[in-house]
């Protein structure tokens, strides 16, 4: 009997991949916090989850949306440093959570294969 690894691991590899890509984007926003005219971008987790729930494999080319700032700046930069740092920290925690779930799935599969 063959095990379909994609089906066995569920959504966890997709969410982990999304968190990595979002981390890169948020890090780019933080790096450009002082760049005049830089427009902060972000990825939407709901879009990925909608694709997964519809039975589709999420496309790795995630669509980034520009963020509308709560307070405008004089140099037209839309990065709000405090909020961006909070988003990055939250995404890091979400990454760790996704990684934990994936490790638990793999441990469960390993246990089933070994018959323990």
């Amino acid at each position: 009997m063959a095990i379909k690894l994609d089906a066995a691991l569920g959504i966890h590899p997709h969410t982990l991949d999304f968190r990595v890509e979002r981390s890169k984007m948020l890090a780019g926003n933080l790096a450009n916090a002082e760049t005049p005219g830089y427009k902060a971008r972000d990825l939407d987790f709901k879009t990925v989850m909608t694709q997964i729930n519809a039975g589709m494999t999420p496309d790795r080319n995630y669509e980034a949306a520009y963020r509308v700032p709560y307070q405008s700046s004089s140099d037209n930069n839309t990065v709000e440093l405090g909020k961006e740092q909070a988003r990055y920290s939250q995404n890091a925690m979400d990454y760790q959570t996704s990684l934990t779930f994936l490790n638990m799935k793999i441990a469960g599969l390993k246990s089933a294969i070994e018959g323990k």
Side-chain angles (χ1 to χ4, degrees):
M1 179 172 138
I3 296 175
K4 293 185 178 183
L5 199 54
D6 288 345
L9 296 178
I11 67 170
H12 303 298
H14 302 297
T15 58
L16 194 63
D17 180 63
F18 172 81
R19 295 294 172 198
V20 168
E21 293 303 315
R22 185 169 187 234
S23 180
K24 291 176 188 177
M25 187 159 294
L26 293 174
N29 289 346
L30 287 168
N32 287 291
E34 299 296 323
T35 304
Y38 183 81
K39 306 295 181 207
R41 300 179 318 149
D42 202 352
L43 300 175
D44 185 27
F45 187 66
K46 290 178 186 176
T47 304
V48 174
M49 289 307 296
T50 301
Q51 290 175 349
I52 292 171
N53 289 334
M56 300 170 19
T57 301
D59 185 12
R60 291 197 74 211
N61 298 323
Y62 303 109
E63 289 186 37
Y66 289 100
R67 189 172 302 121
V68 177
Y70 293 104
Q71 187 172 347
S72 61
S73 66
S74 60
D75 64 356
N76 292 324
N77 183 314
T78 61
V79 177
E80 295 173 308
L81 191 58
K83 297 220 180 272
E84 209 66 40
Q85 289 170 331
R87 287 183 185 106
Y88 189 86
S89 295
Q90 180 65 48
N91 190 66
M93 288 188 294
D94 292 341
Y95 174 86
Q96 288 298 322
T97 302
S98 295
L99 188 59
T100 299
F101 280 124
L102 185 59
N103 283 334
M104 289 170 45
K105 279 283 198 176
I106 291 171
L109 289 171
K110 181 181 175 192
S111 176
I113 290 170
E114 292 174 349
K116 292 181 180 178

